[in-house]
Amino acid sequence: MSEPYETPRPFPLFRYVSIATLGVVGAAAAFGLAAGGHATGLLAVASMAVLYLALLGIVRRADRRLRADRAQIEASRRALAEQRDRLDTILSHLEEGVALYDEARRIVFMNRPLVERFGDRRGERCYEALFGLDRPCCSRDGDGDEACRSAWFSLMAPGGSYFELFSTPIQRPDGGCWTLELVRDISGRVSLERERAARDEALARERQAAVEQLLVGLNHELNNSLMGIVSALHVADREGLSEAERHEVVARIRAEVERLRAVVTRLPRITELGSVEYVGGVTMVDPWLVPKGRAEADAPPPAGGAGGDMVAGPE
């Protein structure tokens, strides 16, 4: 930060004017006595005394005003110094870096975190000293000139670090435009976001694989039951079946339908998936595979009737 303003020493106006006026009064009195006698000298002395008193009043008022102005300037200087120290304390305890650049992008001020990270680089160009770039990283307007406006952007330095920058302009009384910039290192955040994206992608692949395995298992299970029903219907269409054989066919169809109903009923209650190898090295989910420690109540109903294999009638 800049050095504190020093209040100039007051000019001793009252003292100098008083001495000069007394000197003029004495000279006038001596001249009057020498030139015109006693009466003329007294008149000159009286006139100069009146002038002296008038000047004395003016000088006293001016001196009081100067003292008041000087006290006000001193109070303002102390208040400014306190605000400066408070600002220095705030900037020094920020986790983010704060820098001030002039029109040529040269660093004018760096707070403590920036100095600890990059060293004292005041006087150097910000994009070279802080980010290792060969040209300014700020946005430009349509004419190619650097625009004096607020901006927010992120960049990757050649060393692999990621920074998030927020710049805001500061208009100077002389018409110039300096830039106050907040510098935040987001390398850790970018790394975490990449790790999370990789985990999400891996989880999505696992979910896709689980869905595919479940579909293969359901296709296998439903197809087996449907093939059993179709086979039983073919047997039922044959002539010459006895009553017992027809009852067995109906029982087989009923068992396969019950198995289908059990599969559909079990699907919403599946919390653990058991997979088995299928044809061609494909892995499928077996909806009836009971995980270790699970009750056997979820075991699949037997396929076919109570009598075991269905007896085919005569051709």
Side-chain angles (χ1 to χ4, degrees):
M1 304 297 287
S2 59
E3 295 297 328
Y5 172 76
E6 295 292 340
T7 305
R9 291 180 175 273
F11 182 76
L13 179 63
F14 176 73
R15 183 188 307 171
Y16 290 166
V17 171
S18 299
I19 295 174
T21 304
L22 289 176
V24 172
V25 170
F31 177 77
L33 290 175
H38 184 70
T40 304
L42 291 178
L43 180 61
V45 170
S47 300
M48 297 306 297
V50 172
L51 178 61
Y52 169 75
L53 293 176
L55 290 176
L56 183 62
I58 295 174
V59 171
R60 283 185 178 276
R61 285 195 298 270
D63 185 66
R64 285 195 297 268
R65 181 171 298 178
L66 288 175
R67 289 178 182 274
D69 292 343
R70 188 165 59 250
Q72 185 176 1
I73 292 174
E74 183 65 22
S76 300
R77 186 192 67 80
R78 288 195 298 268
L80 182 61
E82 292 176 359
Q83 295 297 329
R84 183 201 62 210
D85 294 340
R86 184 177 302 174
L87 179 60
D88 285 342
T89 302
I90 294 175
L91 293 178
S92 298
H93 287 81
L94 287 177
E95 294 183 0
E96 292 82 4
V98 178
L100 182 64
Y101 314 139
D102 61 12
E103 294 90 342
R105 309 298 295 177
R106 297 188 183 278
I107 302 175
V108 179
F109 168 78
M110 302 172 65
N111 70 336
R112 180 182 56 81
L114 274 187
V115 174
E116 292 178 353
R117 173 71 184 273
F118 301 101
D120 190 355
R121 311 300 292 271
R122 287 179 296 180
E124 302 181 38
R125 298 187 185 276
C126 61
Y127 52 88
E128 296 174 345
L130 303 184
F131 312 120
L133 303 176
D134 55 358
R135 58 186 179 86
C137 51
C138 60
S139 59
R140 295 176 177 268
D141 58 18
D143 298 330
D145 297 329
E146 294 183 9
C148 188
R149 58 175 178 265
S150 298
W152 175 87
F153 55 95
S154 58
L155 61 87
M156 183 182 71
S161 299
Y162 288 85
F163 294 95
E164 187 177 56
L165 308 177
F166 178 77
S167 302
T168 185
I170 298 179
Q171 294 289 346
R172 291 173 53 84
D174 58 3
C177 180
W178 285 15
T179 302
L180 182 66
E181 188 166 75
L182 178 69
V183 182
R184 179 179 298 160
D185 190 340
I186 58 173
S187 302
R189 189 177 73 188
V190 172
S191 177
L192 291 177
E193 290 177 353
R194 288 181 173 178
E195 292 178 1
R196 183 175 61 184
R199 288 196 302 268
D200 292 343
E201 185 178 354
L203 182 60
R205 289 196 300 267
E206 292 177 0
R207 288 176 177 173
Q208 181 66 25
V211 170
E212 293 176 356
Q213 293 176 6
L214 181 59
L215 291 178
V216 172
L218 289 177
N219 177 72
H220 174 75
E221 187 69 25
L222 297 178
N223 189 59
N224 284 344
S225 296
L226 291 176
M227 290 300 295
I229 293 174
V230 171
S231 176
L233 291 175
H234 279 298
V235 173
D237 287 340
R238 295 174 182 173
E239 297 180 357
L241 290 180
S242 64
E243 190 67 23
E245 291 173 339
R246 290 187 181 278
H247 280 296
E248 185 177 354
V249 170
V250 172
R252 177 63 182 269
I253 294 175
R254 183 181 294 111
E256 294 297 344
V257 171
E258 180 63 25
R259 186 179 179 89
L260 290 175
R261 187 194 66 79
V263 170
V264 175
T265 304
R266 175 172 167 74
L267 286 179
R269 296 186 289 111
I270 294 178
T271 57
E272 297 182 37
L273 299 178
S275 59
V276 295
E277 293 294 330
Y278 192 50
V279 180
V282 178
T283 303
M284 72 174 185
V285 172
D286 185 357
W288 302 114
L289 185 60
V290 180
K292 185 176 181 180
R294 182 67 62 83
E296 296 295 331
D298 289 336
D309 294 337
M310 183 177 60
V311 178
E315 294 293 338

